Amino acid sequence: MKYIVCEKPQEFLLKETNIPEPKEGEVLLKIKRIGICGTDIHAFGGTQPYFEYPRILGHELAAEYVKGNAEGFKLGDKVTFIPYFNCGKCVACRNGLTNCCVNIKVFGVHIDGGMAEYVSIPEQYLLHGQGLDYDELALVEPLAIAAHGVRRAAVKPTDTVLVMGAGPIGIGLIQFAKIAGAKVIVMDINDYRLNFCKEQLQADETINPLNDDVAQKLAELTNGDMANVVIDATGNQKVMNSAFNYISHGGRFVLVGLQKGELSFSHPDFHKRESTLMSSRNATIEDFEYVMKCLKEGKIDPKKYITHRTSFDEMITDFGNLIDPKNNVIKALIEIE
């Protein structure tokens, strides 16, 4: 089989190896779709925390069930899976927080992932396709990350939510915040993405920091209240630090994006507002199930996000174009047929 490995920053290589033989308790899957995500981009660029090279990337996956003894699954089933392999024993796992397991192994980050024609995974993480097609199944994982972030923020209809970053995760955050009934304001420096969010996702307002003073514009849009919930999906240190000025009194700031540096903010300002700061990492089975329910009920149409596609063989050549903001990529999928 063929696979693509990120040998070091800025270098992908196409290689061949044997198709893996699943061990006891594992299943063999034929990969059909691979979503290109921020983690892949940061890994390629050398800015991804908790990362070592060489690494086979890819954890937004849709696949065909090929071999194994997983109960309720049969040859040819469309599937996806939870790519966060947890230990089941640590303090987080004992409390049901498998998404932030002390010893977590994220597929395509800590261990080799799904940029391959076949993968073998533990059967416990396998999810039925539930009638969704391969395109939809490839987007379940990034949507689950967004659903988890909105759940962490406890978004409610009376909230005004500022989503910072209108990439694929930000788009999911917008959608789930809207499903929760909140007013949603989107901040990004890409006007194409901002227009997409207004036209396709019914974002209520948009802010472009290149054209607007964000704090001033946000104050205007909220009658001086600022945002009850601020969610970062940029992974940009400067943006994260600035965002402490955008939180309302009693507001929540949720970090979905990840960067390598330190955060800095004024404690007196943070304290007087009784602000809440939290991170949001990965997702749980509840988030995956909720996402699939929303997809089946038509509350989300992820296919409108898929703006670009490439084949497995052409992925290395196309990757630079797929991550170039000038090409107005919302979501790119790698197809294997």
Side-chain angles (χ1 to χ4, degrees):
M1 71 168 195
K2 292 180 287 189
Y3 68 97
I4 296 170
V5 61
C6 189
E7 194 74 14
K8 60 185 179 181
Q10 307 295 328
E11 182 179 66
F12 280 124
L13 296 176
L14 180 64
K15 296 185 175 183
E16 289 191 3
T17 189
N18 294 327
I19 295 174
E21 182 63 32
K23 302 173 185 176
E24 183 69 26
E26 293 184 343
V27 296
L28 181 66
L29 305 178
K30 179 175 175 55
I31 299 299
K32 292 291 191 175
R33 300 287 187 278
I34 307 163
I36 295 175
C37 74
T39 300
D40 302 327
I41 295 168
H42 291 308
F44 182 74
T47 59
Q48 175 65 28
Y50 320 124
F51 200 83
E52 296 178 356
Y53 301 87
R55 179 68 69 225
I56 301 172
L57 307 180
H59 60 266
E60 300 180 1
L61 302 165
E64 176 186 344
Y65 186 87
V66 174
K67 185 178 182 181
N69 297 306
E71 185 176 353
F73 292 86
K74 65 182 186 301
L75 180 67
D77 279 351
K78 290 182 174 69
V79 299
T80 187
F81 62 91
I82 301 172
Y84 324 126
F85 300 166
N86 61 283
C87 72
K89 298 177 182 179
C90 72
V91 61
C93 290
R94 294 198 307 271
N95 286 286
L97 304 175
T98 55
N99 59 300
C100 58
C101 166
V102 174
N103 306 299
I104 199 166
K105 301 296 182 186
V106 178
F107 202 66
V109 179
H110 306 103
I111 58 176
D112 284 339
M115 284 193 185
E117 291 183 301
Y118 292 87
V119 299
S120 180
I121 67 156
E123 64 183 34
Q124 71 195 75
Y125 301 103
L126 200 59
L127 296 172
H128 281 285
Q130 299 187 31
L132 302 176
D133 64 27
Y134 288 129
D135 284 356
E136 293 168 320
L137 289 171
L139 296 181
V140 168
E141 190 272 345
L143 287 170
I145 287 180
H148 188 73
V150 170
R151 185 157 67 96
R152 287 279 285 158
V155 175
K156 54 187 183 297
T158 54
D159 284 330
T160 294
V161 178
L162 173 66
V163 175
M164 303 190 305
I169 299 299
I171 284 170
L173 290 165
I174 295 163
Q175 294 238 267
F176 288 113
K178 292 292 291 183
I179 289 172
K183 175 181 179 180
V184 179
I185 301 170
V186 183
M187 185 182 92
D188 200 281
I189 59 173
N190 186 315
D191 281 330
Y192 176 83
R193 291 194 173 198
L194 291 176
N195 290 332
F196 177 89
C197 291
K198 288 209 76 168
E199 294 170 4
Q200 300 294 331
L201 309 179
Q202 287 72 57
D204 296 281
E205 302 287 351
T206 61
I207 300 174
N208 186 331
L210 299 181
N211 304 325
D212 302 309
D213 179 303
V214 178
Q216 181 179 330
K217 182 71 177 291
L218 187 61
E220 292 172 1
L221 294 174
T222 60
N223 295 317
D225 289 343
M226 309 305 280
N228 307 95
V229 177
V230 177
I231 310 180
D232 177 76
T234 68
N236 181 288
Q237 184 185 40
K238 183 177 179 180
V239 173
M240 290 178 177
N241 285 335
S242 298
F244 287 92
N245 299 314
Y246 310 151
I247 311 169
S248 72
H249 281 245
R252 291 94 74 196
F253 184 14
V254 182
L255 303 174
V256 177
L258 179 64
Q259 50 86 34
K260 283 186 172 182
E262 297 179 352
L263 297 181
S264 176
F265 58 92
S266 166
H267 181 213
D269 284 344
F270 187 79
H271 190 91
K272 75 179 181 182
R273 304 179 197 187
E274 198 180 51
S275 305
T276 299
L277 173 64
M278 65 186 85
S279 61
S280 179
R281 188 181 186 194
N282 301 325
T284 65
I285 181 63
E286 292 83 4
D287 301 306
F288 278 81
E289 290 174 344
Y290 176 63
V291 166
M292 296 181 85
K293 179 175 182 288
C294 288
L295 289 170
K296 289 175 67 177
E297 293 177 352
K299 292 182 178 179
I300 295 178
D301 177 11
K303 292 192 175 184
K304 66 177 65 172
Y305 314 161
I306 303 170
T307 55
H308 292 69
R309 298 174 186 267
T310 187
S311 69
F312 193 77
D313 290 335
E314 295 173 343
M315 176 271 186
I316 295 176
T317 302
D318 289 346
F319 192 77
N321 291 326
L322 296 176
I323 65 174
D324 188 338
K326 294 195 298 291
N327 292 324
N328 295 326
V329 178
I330 300 294
K331 187 66 179 180
L333 290 185
I334 302 167
E335 298 181 334
I336 307 179
E337 295 298 345

mmCIF file of all heavy atoms in Angstrom, residues 163-192:
data_model
loop_
_atom_site.group_PDB
_atom_site.id
_atom_site.type_symbol
_atom_site.label_atom_id
_atom_site.label_comp_id
_atom_site.label_asym_id
_atom_site.label_seq_id
_atom_site.Cartn_x
_atom_site.Cartn_y
_atom_site.Cartn_z
ATOM 1 N N VAL A 163 -16.527 34.248 17.642
ATOM 2 C CA VAL A 163 -15.669 33.169 17.150
ATOM 3 C C VAL A 163 -14.507 33.811 16.410
ATOM 4 O O VAL A 163 -14.706 34.507 15.410
ATOM 5 C CB VAL A 163 -16.437 32.203 16.225
ATOM 6 C CG1 VAL A 163 -15.482 31.172 15.627
ATOM 7 C CG2 VAL A 163 -17.560 31.512 16.990
ATOM 8 N N MET A 164 -13.302 33.566 16.887
ATOM 9 C CA MET A 164 -12.106 34.144 16.279
ATOM 10 C C MET A 164 -11.437 33.087 15.402
ATOM 11 O O MET A 164 -10.946 32.082 15.898
ATOM 12 C CB MET A 164 -11.151 34.628 17.365
ATOM 13 C CG MET A 164 -11.773 35.632 18.314
ATOM 14 S SD MET A 164 -10.565 36.408 19.428
ATOM 15 C CE MET A 164 -9.818 34.972 20.192
ATOM 16 N N GLY A 165 -11.471 33.316 14.092
ATOM 17 C CA GLY A 165 -10.913 32.368 13.150
ATOM 18 C C GLY A 165 -12.010 31.621 12.424
ATOM 19 O O GLY A 165 -12.783 30.893 13.038
ATOM 20 N N ALA A 166 -12.091 31.811 11.106
ATOM 21 C CA ALA A 166 -13.167 31.210 10.314
ATOM 22 C C ALA A 166 -12.636 30.097 9.417
ATOM 23 O O ALA A 166 -13.066 29.930 8.285
ATOM 24 C CB ALA A 166 -13.865 32.279 9.473
ATOM 25 N N GLY A 167 -11.682 29.323 9.953
ATOM 26 C CA GLY A 167 -11.244 28.111 9.272
ATOM 27 C C GLY A 167 -12.229 26.988 9.529
ATOM 28 O O GLY A 167 -13.332 27.217 10.063
ATOM 29 N N PRO A 168 -11.882 25.762 9.179
ATOM 30 C CA PRO A 168 -12.817 24.648 9.334
ATOM 31 C C PRO A 168 -13.339 24.453 10.753
ATOM 32 O O PRO A 168 -14.526 24.186 10.951
ATOM 33 C CB PRO A 168 -11.987 23.444 8.878
ATOM 34 C CG PRO A 168 -11.021 24.009 7.897
ATOM 35 C CD PRO A 168 -10.662 25.361 8.433
ATOM 36 N N ILE A 169 -12.472 24.592 11.772
ATOM 37 C CA ILE A 169 -12.948 24.449 13.145
ATOM 38 C C ILE A 169 -13.827 25.637 13.516
ATOM 39 O O ILE A 169 -14.881 25.483 14.144
ATOM 40 C CB ILE A 169 -11.767 24.332 14.133
ATOM 41 C CG1 ILE A 169 -10.927 23.094 13.806
ATOM 42 C CG2 ILE A 169 -12.283 24.264 15.562
ATOM 43 C CD1 ILE A 169 -11.651 21.779 13.907
ATOM 44 N N GLY A 170 -13.419 26.825 13.124
ATOM 45 C CA GLY A 170 -14.233 28.008 13.401
ATOM 46 C C GLY A 170 -15.607 27.911 12.786
ATOM 47 O O GLY A 170 -16.609 28.308 13.390
ATOM 48 N N ILE A 171 -15.685 27.369 11.582
ATOM 49 C CA ILE A 171 -16.974 27.192 10.915
ATOM 50 C C ILE A 171 -17.881 26.278 11.728
ATOM 51 O O ILE A 171 -19.073 26.547 11.893
ATOM 52 C CB ILE A 171 -16.747 26.641 9.489
ATOM 53 C CG1 ILE A 171 -16.242 27.763 8.581
ATOM 54 C CG2 ILE A 171 -18.027 26.039 8.915
ATOM 55 C CD1 ILE A 171 -15.767 27.290 7.232
ATOM 56 N N GLY A 172 -17.306 25.204 12.252
ATOM 57 C CA GLY A 172 -18.087 24.319 13.110
ATOM 58 C C GLY A 172 -18.547 25.015 14.375
ATOM 59 O O GLY A 172 -19.690 24.845 14.819
ATOM 60 N N LEU A 173 -17.681 25.820 14.967
ATOM 61 C CA LEU A 173 -18.047 26.568 16.177
ATOM 62 C C LEU A 173 -19.224 27.506 15.891
ATOM 63 O O LEU A 173 -20.150 27.623 16.708
ATOM 64 C CB LEU A 173 -16.845 27.374 16.669
ATOM 65 C CG LEU A 173 -15.679 26.568 17.253
ATOM 66 C CD1 LEU A 173 -14.432 27.428 17.352
ATOM 67 C CD2 LEU A 173 -16.051 26.003 18.619
ATOM 68 N N ILE A 174 -19.181 28.160 14.740
ATOM 69 C CA ILE A 174 -20.272 29.050 14.351
ATOM 70 C C ILE A 174 -21.580 28.271 14.273
ATOM 71 O O ILE A 174 -22.609 28.681 14.814
ATOM 72 C CB ILE A 174 -19.976 29.726 13.001
ATOM 73 C CG1 ILE A 174 -18.777 30.659 13.108
ATOM 74 C CG2 ILE A 174 -21.199 30.485 12.485
ATOM 75 C CD1 ILE A 174 -18.170 31.038 11.769
ATOM 76 N N GLN A 175 -21.521 27.122 13.614
ATOM 77 C CA GLN A 175 -22.741 26.347 13.409
ATOM 78 C C GLN A 175 -23.334 25.849 14.719
ATOM 79 O O GLN A 175 -24.548 25.943 14.949
ATOM 80 C CB GLN A 175 -22.445 25.173 12.482
ATOM 81 C CG GLN A 175 -22.077 25.615 11.074
ATOM 82 C CD GLN A 175 -23.003 25.033 10.035
ATOM 83 O OE1 GLN A 175 -22.730 24.001 9.484
ATOM 84 N NE2 GLN A 175 -24.110 25.697 9.786
ATOM 85 N N PHE A 176 -22.502 25.332 15.598
ATOM 86 C CA PHE A 176 -23.032 24.797 16.854
ATOM 87 C C PHE A 176 -23.477 25.910 17.805
ATOM 88 O O PHE A 176 -24.431 25.729 18.570
ATOM 89 C CB PHE A 176 -22.020 23.864 17.508
ATOM 90 C CG PHE A 176 -21.885 22.564 16.778
ATOM 91 C CD1 PHE A 176 -20.714 22.236 16.116
ATOM 92 C CD2 PHE A 176 -22.948 21.671 16.715
ATOM 93 C CE1 PHE A 176 -20.600 21.046 15.421
ATOM 94 C CE2 PHE A 176 -22.850 20.478 16.018
ATOM 95 C CZ PHE A 176 -21.674 20.162 15.367
ATOM 96 N N ALA A 177 -22.816 27.058 17.739
ATOM 97 C CA ALA A 177 -23.287 28.197 18.539
ATOM 98 C C ALA A 177 -24.644 28.680 18.038
ATOM 99 O O ALA A 177 -25.518 29.052 18.820
ATOM 100 C CB ALA A 177 -22.262 29.328 18.506
ATOM 101 N N LYS A 178 -24.827 28.665 16.707
ATOM 102 C CA LYS A 178 -26.129 29.038 16.136
ATOM 103 C C LYS A 178 -27.202 28.012 16.509
ATOM 104 O O LYS A 178 -28.338 28.380 16.835
ATOM 105 C CB LYS A 178 -26.026 29.159 14.612
ATOM 106 C CG LYS A 178 -25.188 30.323 14.116
ATOM 107 C CD LYS A 178 -25.812 31.671 14.408
ATOM 108 C CE LYS A 178 -27.067 31.911 13.595
ATOM 109 N NZ LYS A 178 -27.632 33.263 13.838
ATOM 110 N N ILE A 179 -26.855 26.732 16.470
ATOM 111 C CA ILE A 179 -27.812 25.696 16.876
ATOM 112 C C ILE A 179 -28.226 25.902 18.330
ATOM 113 O O ILE A 179 -29.384 25.668 18.699
ATOM 114 C CB ILE A 179 -27.194 24.291 16.668
ATOM 115 C CG1 ILE A 179 -27.091 23.988 15.170
ATOM 116 C CG2 ILE A 179 -28.025 23.215 17.363
ATOM 117 C CD1 ILE A 179 -26.330 22.722 14.851
ATOM 118 N N ALA A 180 -27.288 26.376 19.156
ATOM 119 C CA ALA A 180 -27.598 26.646 20.568
ATOM 120 C C ALA A 180 -28.434 27.900 20.747
ATOM 121 O O ALA A 180 -28.887 28.195 21.858
ATOM 122 C CB ALA A 180 -26.298 26.768 21.367
ATOM 123 N N GLY A 181 -28.643 28.659 19.664
ATOM 124 C CA GLY A 181 -29.516 29.824 19.708
ATOM 125 C C GLY A 181 -28.839 31.147 19.958
ATOM 126 O O GLY A 181 -29.506 32.174 20.119
ATOM 127 N N ALA A 182 -27.502 31.173 19.987
ATOM 128 C CA ALA A 182 -26.775 32.397 20.314
ATOM 129 C C ALA A 182 -26.652 33.331 19.111
ATOM 130 O O ALA A 182 -26.791 32.926 17.957
ATOM 131 C CB ALA A 182 -25.377 32.048 20.827
ATOM 132 N N LYS A 183 -26.380 34.598 19.407
ATOM 133 C CA LYS A 183 -25.955 35.549 18.385
ATOM 134 C C LYS A 183 -24.471 35.311 18.166
ATOM 135 O O LYS A 183 -23.693 35.194 19.126
ATOM 136 C CB LYS A 183 -26.189 36.982 18.850
ATOM 137 C CG LYS A 183 -25.656 38.043 17.889
ATOM 138 C CD LYS A 183 -25.889 39.452 18.428
ATOM 139 C CE LYS A 183 -25.329 40.512 17.478
ATOM 140 N NZ LYS A 183 -25.545 41.888 18.001
ATOM 141 N N VAL A 184 -24.036 35.225 16.903
ATOM 142 C CA VAL A 184 -22.648 34.873 16.607
ATOM 143 C C VAL A 184 -21.977 35.964 15.769
ATOM 144 O O VAL A 184 -22.485 36.355 14.714
ATOM 145 C CB VAL A 184 -22.560 33.527 15.860
ATOM 146 C CG1 VAL A 184 -21.108 33.188 15.541
ATOM 147 C CG2 VAL A 184 -23.185 32.402 16.696
ATOM 148 N N ILE A 185 -20.842 36.419 16.272
ATOM 149 C CA ILE A 185 -20.000 37.382 15.570
ATOM 150 C C ILE A 185 -18.703 36.665 15.200
ATOM 151 O O ILE A 185 -18.105 35.977 16.031
ATOM 152 C CB ILE A 185 -19.697 38.607 16.451
ATOM 153 C CG1 ILE A 185 -21.001 39.298 16.871
ATOM 154 C CG2 ILE A 185 -18.775 39.589 15.729
ATOM 155 C CD1 ILE A 185 -20.826 40.364 17.934
ATOM 156 N N VAL A 186 -18.282 36.823 13.957
ATOM 157 C CA VAL A 186 -17.098 36.113 13.469
ATOM 158 C C VAL A 186 -15.985 37.104 13.173
ATOM 159 O O VAL A 186 -16.215 38.135 12.528
ATOM 160 C CB VAL A 186 -17.419 35.308 12.197
ATOM 161 C CG1 VAL A 186 -16.196 34.514 11.743
ATOM 162 C CG2 VAL A 186 -18.601 34.382 12.433
ATOM 163 N N MET A 187 -14.781 36.771 13.626
ATOM 164 C CA MET A 187 -13.613 37.609 13.371
ATOM 165 C C MET A 187 -12.597 36.831 12.552
ATOM 166 O O MET A 187 -12.247 35.699 12.893
ATOM 167 C CB MET A 187 -12.981 38.038 14.697
ATOM 168 C CG MET A 187 -11.827 39.011 14.535
ATOM 169 S SD MET A 187 -11.080 39.438 16.127
ATOM 170 C CE MET A 187 -9.790 38.203 16.220
ATOM 171 N N ASP A 188 -12.134 37.430 11.455
ATOM 172 C CA ASP A 188 -11.103 36.815 10.611
ATOM 173 C C ASP A 188 -10.508 37.926 9.749
ATOM 174 O O ASP A 188 -11.126 38.982 9.578
ATOM 175 C CB ASP A 188 -11.710 35.714 9.735
ATOM 176 C CG ASP A 188 -10.665 34.735 9.220
ATOM 177 O OD1 ASP A 188 -9.955 35.067 8.242
ATOM 178 O OD2 ASP A 188 -10.542 33.635 9.795
ATOM 179 N N ILE A 189 -9.315 37.671 9.203
ATOM 180 C CA ILE A 189 -8.689 38.676 8.331
ATOM 181 C C ILE A 189 -8.945 38.377 6.861
ATOM 182 O O ILE A 189 -8.466 39.106 5.993
ATOM 183 C CB ILE A 189 -7.177 38.770 8.583
ATOM 184 C CG1 ILE A 189 -6.481 37.425 8.329
ATOM 185 C CG2 ILE A 189 -6.894 39.261 10.006
ATOM 186 C CD1 ILE A 189 -4.962 37.492 8.390
ATOM 187 N N ASN A 190 -9.710 37.316 6.582
ATOM 188 C CA ASN A 190 -9.990 36.905 5.209
ATOM 189 C C ASN A 190 -11.437 37.263 4.870
ATOM 190 O O ASN A 190 -12.370 36.651 5.381
ATOM 191 C CB ASN A 190 -9.746 35.396 5.075
ATOM 192 C CG ASN A 190 -9.879 34.892 3.654
ATOM 193 O OD1 ASN A 190 -10.821 35.240 2.951
ATOM 194 N ND2 ASN A 190 -8.948 34.053 3.229
ATOM 195 N N ASP A 191 -11.621 38.251 4.012
ATOM 196 C CA ASP A 191 -12.973 38.712 3.682
ATOM 197 C C ASP A 191 -13.795 37.630 2.985
ATOM 198 O O ASP A 191 -15.017 37.565 3.155
ATOM 199 C CB ASP A 191 -12.910 39.963 2.796
ATOM 200 C CG ASP A 191 -12.628 41.218 3.597
ATOM 201 O OD1 ASP A 191 -13.020 41.267 4.774
ATOM 202 O OD2 ASP A 191 -11.999 42.141 3.049
ATOM 203 N N TYR A 192 -13.136 36.784 2.200
ATOM 204 C CA TYR A 192 -13.866 35.700 1.541
ATOM 205 C C TYR A 192 -14.508 34.788 2.583
ATOM 206 O O TYR A 192 -15.681 34.420 2.469
ATOM 207 C CB TYR A 192 -12.920 34.902 0.642
ATOM 208 C CG TYR A 192 -13.575 33.697 0.003
ATOM 209 C CD1 TYR A 192 -14.324 33.821 -1.163
ATOM 210 C CD2 TYR A 192 -13.456 32.427 0.588
ATOM 211 C CE1 TYR A 192 -14.937 32.712 -1.740
ATOM 212 C CE2 TYR A 192 -14.060 31.321 0.013
ATOM 213 C CZ TYR A 192 -14.802 31.466 -1.146
ATOM 214 O OH TYR A 192 -15.413 30.372 -1.707
#
